[in-house]
Amino acid sequence: MPPPPSAPAFHHLRLWWRRRGRAGAVGATFSVAFLAAALLLTLSYYASTPPANSSTSSSGRSPALVGLTLVRGAEEKGALCLDGSAPGYHLQRGSGGGSRSWLIHLEGGGWCRNLRSCASRQKSMLGSSHYMERQIEFAGILSDDESQNPDFFNWNKVKTRYCDGASFSGNVKDELKNGTRFFFRGQLILEAVMNELLLKGLGQAKQDLRQRFLDCNSNLEPGQCFFPREVVKNIVTPVFVLNSAYDAWQVQHVLAPQSSDPQHSWLDCRLDISKCSPNQLEILQGFRKEMLDAISELQQKSDWGMYINSCFVHCQSLNSFTWHSPSSPRVNNKN
């Protein structure tokens, strides 16, 4: 599958970790942190926001509320949210056999595309810690309920709040525009949070990842075992996969973003797939083929299913207009 929008952040994190010279068991720590982030950063901001009304799990327990910790000395470290406030994270300590294992969630939420959209974020939890909840529910893969989260319930779990607008990447001087200051310090935020966690026990973490993913290709870096194409190998329950072969958001912002296209050669194609040149269509077909190759093994599972269509749209199943569009692709007359 194509890399998530957060790929630059992961690259910086990997190089930063290697520069620190950590080895052995601590190297495995990075793998755990890195793989968890790789999986969870792809979640949208809306999916990661706790519901307005808390609900109890099947065990009768309500999700744990975990307090917000602001990074110490953030200004001196240059690690600042878009509005210049200190970034933060939520840490729930592990226990028992999970006391030296760590799972780190880098919160998602897309990017701000220009100073106008970044200014809007400055007045929200996606750009300022002033608007972040002081406590959030830890549910799902962050839950401490063994019945809901048997693999990680007693691990040290961290949710790193996202407030830099660029997927924890970037390190530039603050920019002044129309009297408003903007801080693009995602890389420094990630480093500051990781440094604090190292002092809080991450440096002594131990976990052998491959014990949990026995079918993962031994030639892969451990973090890659958390990508969907590897995770599905351990799923027993039949799954029906729904996905677009051409995702508009990924094409516009990952495959051919404006910043990588100064000549605007992809402008028309990026906004309207019917205006792509033959060469651009070939590239898009390669994009589609990589995704299909990633799920090719699923076709061998007789009780599994999939619907991979050519609807050039993002989040098609969450939007009534696209989900019920009269022009949506059909397979055997089924849209």
Side-chain angles (χ1 to χ4, degrees):
M1 288 187 173
S6 53
F10 297 148
H11 176 67
H12 289 311
L13 177 57
R14 193 183 325 188
L15 292 179
W16 167 74
W17 190 278
R18 287 175 178 170
R19 287 199 301 267
R20 293 186 65 87
R22 304 278 177 172
V26 181
T29 303
F30 165 71
S31 299
V32 176
F34 179 78
L35 66 91
L39 170 68
L40 294 171
L41 187 60
T42 60
L43 298 176
S44 71
Y45 159 70
Y46 300 100
S48 63
T49 301
N53 297 317
S54 300
S55 58
T56 58
S57 66
S58 58
S59 65
R61 293 180 53 193
S62 297
L65 291 175
V66 182
L68 175 68
T69 299
L70 297 179
V71 170
R72 294 182 179 179
E75 187 170 356
E76 292 80 3
K77 298 172 183 175
L80 300 170
C81 295
L82 282 170
D83 70 335
S85 60
Y89 58 92
H90 303 260
L91 166 62
Q92 184 181 58
R93 291 289 189 177
S95 62
S99 61
R100 299 186 71 182
S101 298
W102 288 72
L103 186 150
I104 298 176
H105 172 189
L106 301 185
E107 185 178 33
W111 301 330
C112 54
R113 303 186 186 92
N114 48 48
L115 293 181
R116 181 179 179 181
S117 64
C118 292
S120 177
R121 285 193 179 224
Q122 287 184 328
K123 298 177 176 61
S124 75
M125 65 182 68
L126 287 176
S128 171
S129 60
H130 296 314
Y131 297 90
M132 294 177 184
E133 312 94 317
R134 264 35 198 176
Q135 288 185 320
I136 62 170
E137 293 182 351
F138 266 27
I141 200 172
L142 297 179
S143 173
D144 63 351
D145 186 339
E146 185 174 5
S147 67
Q148 299 294 307
N149 188 23
D151 292 310
F152 309 110
F153 74 98
N154 62 348
W155 285 31
N156 295 282
K157 295 179 290 292
V158 181
K159 178 169 183 173
T160 305
R161 301 305 294 265
Y162 173 41
C163 65
D164 69 277
S167 297
F168 297 95
S169 63
N171 176 14
V172 297
K173 293 182 179 180
D174 52 295
E175 184 167 346
L176 183 65
K177 186 70 173 181
N178 297 328
T180 301
R181 295 180 73 191
F182 296 87
F183 298 85
F184 302 101
R185 309 285 180 80
Q187 181 183 342
L188 297 183
I189 290 175
L190 187 57
E191 291 183 358
V193 171
M194 293 299 291
N195 279 325
E196 283 202 8
L197 295 178
L198 284 170
L199 296 176
K200 293 185 176 184
L202 181 59
Q204 287 75 47
K206 288 187 177 180
Q207 180 63 36
D208 185 348
L209 177 65
R210 296 198 187 280
Q211 291 180 356
R212 294 186 178 271
F213 296 94
L214 299 178
D215 295 327
C216 187
N217 189 330
S218 60
N219 294 324
L220 297 176
E221 290 187 11
Q224 292 179 279
C225 295
F226 244 109
F227 278 72
R229 67 187 301 170
E230 300 298 330
V231 170
V232 296
K233 297 176 182 178
N234 292 278
I235 297 178
V236 177
T237 304
V239 172
F240 188 88
V241 179
L242 167 68
N243 211 80
S244 174
Y246 306 95
D247 187 301
W249 196 95
Q250 289 178 309
V251 170
Q252 293 172 11
H253 300 285
V254 179
L255 180 64
Q258 283 185 312
S259 57
S260 299
D261 184 30
Q263 304 302 320
H264 305 297
S265 58
W266 275 85
L267 179 61
D268 291 340
C269 177
R270 184 167 55 237
L271 300 179
D272 185 348
I273 197 171
S274 67
K275 296 181 180 179
C276 295
S277 68
N279 181 59
Q280 289 170 331
L281 286 175
E282 185 177 347
I283 293 174
L284 288 179
Q285 289 288 19
F287 191 73
R288 170 180 178 272
K289 183 178 182 300
E290 279 200 29
M291 195 274 289
L292 294 179
D293 287 345
I295 60 174
S296 59
E297 293 185 32
L298 306 188
Q299 299 180 40
Q300 312 305 319
K301 298 176 179 285
S302 60
D303 52 350
W304 285 43
M306 64 180 68
Y307 183 73
I308 310 299
N309 60 54
S310 296
C311 187
F312 190 62
V313 69
H314 185 59
C315 296
Q316 58 177 309
S317 60
L318 302 179
N319 187 312
S320 180
F321 176 77
T322 54
W323 188 237
H324 298 289
S325 171
S327 62
S328 64
R330 292 174 177 266
V331 176
N332 294 332
N333 205 34
K334 183 73 174 179
N335 66 3

